[in-house]
């Protein structure tokens, strides 16, 4: 019966990784896949994670099952990280998931169980896997305009105009910070306007928070999420620990759901049920490390310090690239690179220009001209800047 299977479209970003690996040129630059890299091109295990792993290895006496929805200590630590101290625990349900992807998937599943007719609204563009999961689930979806590709900033007017079409019970997917793929983010005033609109419409915000700490800092990056959470009666948050804890392969994420206090027990039970029907218990190792790092003062301080090095390093690269391009282009038209936040910026190059940079300069970026700033270092920034100008971007 497997002869009946149809080939699935390959993930474009993973395919690009394969091309990069096969390229024999020594000076090749990988700006494709969304993984943090240091100046030497490594994705290190963070110091606090390494220390927590050592402690865990020494102290752990059992590998028996934990709780179906994940450990309450993990939920509490994540809720405090994302929503801040004093979050409304009496309204919060939470689920330990298989990465941020698992949190997104479970969020969509929960919304569908609660409102089978819901439409999911997504920023156009968004992380392509959002769309592929929604299509796989056959959930109706609609895009809202988000990015002004000429100015490379959020097209807020267009976004609000499109969101006028949202109806009660629809899910509106928002990127909490460090928008993937554009790098352009809402201001706090814009978050407030979105919250007002969604409240008036009776829509359910779902915030994908995959890069907390990569933009303006741990609290600043959660500010939009916190604002929405403080205003709306019901909110879903899909948080990933892959990037900010550097534990990509451990597959650690958390879906948090704010509801009416009266609905909490059933919501929490439904979340556990979703884990049970899908894979039973979520992986424990990464979540346990995250809990240790967040709750042990010494580990936490070490983690925050290293995360800050990562964040400021990326900001420095952004500034260097913008400065370099200012000089070479004799204009300020690339200044947006310094204003964007997170690992990604959408450069605004055509697919042909992206291809030219790959063939001529061995610079690999995604076809929509999303580049991973963390793939750069002080030496490759000028090379990229020259290639961008030479390609006529
Ligand atoms: N959301 C967004 C916007 C992302 O960019 C990513 C990672 N590429 C994720 C969610 C999921 O990350 P993971 O499943 O690796 O935790």
């Amino acid at each position: 019966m497997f002869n009946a299977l149809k080939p699935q479209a390959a993930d474009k970003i993973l395919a690009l990784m394969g091309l990069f690996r096969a390229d024999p040129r020594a000076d090749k630059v990988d700006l494709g896949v969304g993984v943090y890299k240091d100046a030497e091109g490594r994705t290190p295990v963070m110091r606090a994670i390494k220390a927590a792993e050592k402690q865990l290895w020494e102290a752990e006496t059992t590998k028996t099952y934990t709780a179906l929805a994940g450990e309450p200590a993990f939920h509490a630590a994540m809720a405090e990280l994302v929503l801040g101290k004093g979050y409304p625990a009496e309204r919060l349900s939470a689920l330990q998931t298989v990465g941020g992807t698992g949190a997104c998937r479970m969020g969509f599943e929960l919304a569908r169980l609660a409102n089978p007719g819901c439409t999911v609204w997504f920023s156009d563009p968004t992380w392509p896997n959002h769309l592929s999961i929604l299509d796989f689930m056959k959930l109706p979806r609609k895009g809202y305009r988000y990015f002004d590709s000429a100015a490379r900033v959020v097209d807020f007017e267009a976004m609000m105009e499109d969101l006028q079409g949202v109806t009660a019970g629809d899910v509106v997917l928002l990127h909490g910070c460090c928008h993937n793929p554009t790098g352009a983010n809402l201001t706090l005033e814009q978050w407030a306007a979105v919250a007002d609109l969604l409240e008036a419409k009776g829509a359910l915000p779902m915030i994908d928070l995959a890069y907390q700490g990569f933009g303006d800092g741990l609290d600043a990056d959660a500010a939009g999420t916190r604002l929405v959470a403080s205003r709306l009666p019901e909110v879903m948050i899909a948080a990933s620990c892959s990037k900010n804890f550097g534990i990509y392969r451990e597959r650690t994420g958390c879906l948090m759901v704010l509801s009416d206090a009266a609905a909490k027990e059933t919501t929490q039970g439904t979340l556990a049920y979703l884990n049970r029907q899908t894979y039973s218990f979520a992986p424990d190792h990464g979540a346990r490390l995250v809990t240790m790092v967040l709750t042990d003062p010494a580990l936490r301080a070490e983690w925050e310090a290293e995360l800050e090095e990562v964040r400021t390093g990326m900001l420095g690269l952004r500034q260097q690239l913008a400065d370099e391009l200012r000089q070479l282009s004799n204009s300020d038209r690339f200044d947006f690179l310094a204003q964007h936040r997170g690992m990604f910026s959408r450069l605004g190059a055509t697919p042909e220009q992206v291809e030219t940079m790959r063939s001529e300069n061995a610079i690999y970026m995604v076809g929509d001209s999303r580049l991973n700033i963390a793939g750069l270092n002080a030496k490759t920034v000028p090379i990229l800047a020259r290639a961008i100008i030479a390609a006529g971007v």
Side-chain angles (χ1 to χ4, degrees), residues 67-96:
L68 196 48
E71 296 278 15
F74 173 68
H75 300 160
M78 285 299 292
E80 197 175 307
L81 178 70
V82 171
L83 295 169
K85 281 196 176 69
Y87 66 87
E90 71 291 351
R91 295 175 44 224
L92 182 82
S93 307
L95 186 70
Q96 188 176 313

Side-chain angles (χ1 to χ4, degrees), residues 168-219:
D170 281 352
V171 177
V172 176
L173 186 54
L174 301 154
H175 294 226
C177 65
C178 307
H179 185 267
N180 179 6
T182 67
N185 299 291
L186 300 179
T187 64
L188 215 48
E189 291 71 41
Q190 292 171 335
W191 274 104
V194 171
D196 286 345
L197 179 71
L198 300 190
E199 190 175 17
K201 296 278 180 194
L204 174 68
M206 173 167 170
I207 301 173
D208 183 346
L209 191 61
Y211 300 94
Q212 189 184 358
F214 269 37
D216 289 310
L218 280 171
D219 287 325

Side-chain angles (χ1 to χ4, degrees), residues 13 34-35 98-104 126-130 175 177-181 208-211 238-243 247-249 251-253 343-344 370:
I13 300 175
V35 169
V98 181
T101 308
C104 289
T126 191
W127 179 45
N129 212 22
H130 284 148
H175 294 226
C177 65
C178 307
H179 185 267
N180 179 6
D208 183 346
L209 191 61
Y211 300 94
S240 167
C241 302
S242 300
K243 321 290 153 78
I247 51 170
Y248 305 80
R249 66 173 64 164
R251 312 307 303 136
T252 308
M343 271 202 298
F344 307 118
R370 182 192 86 168

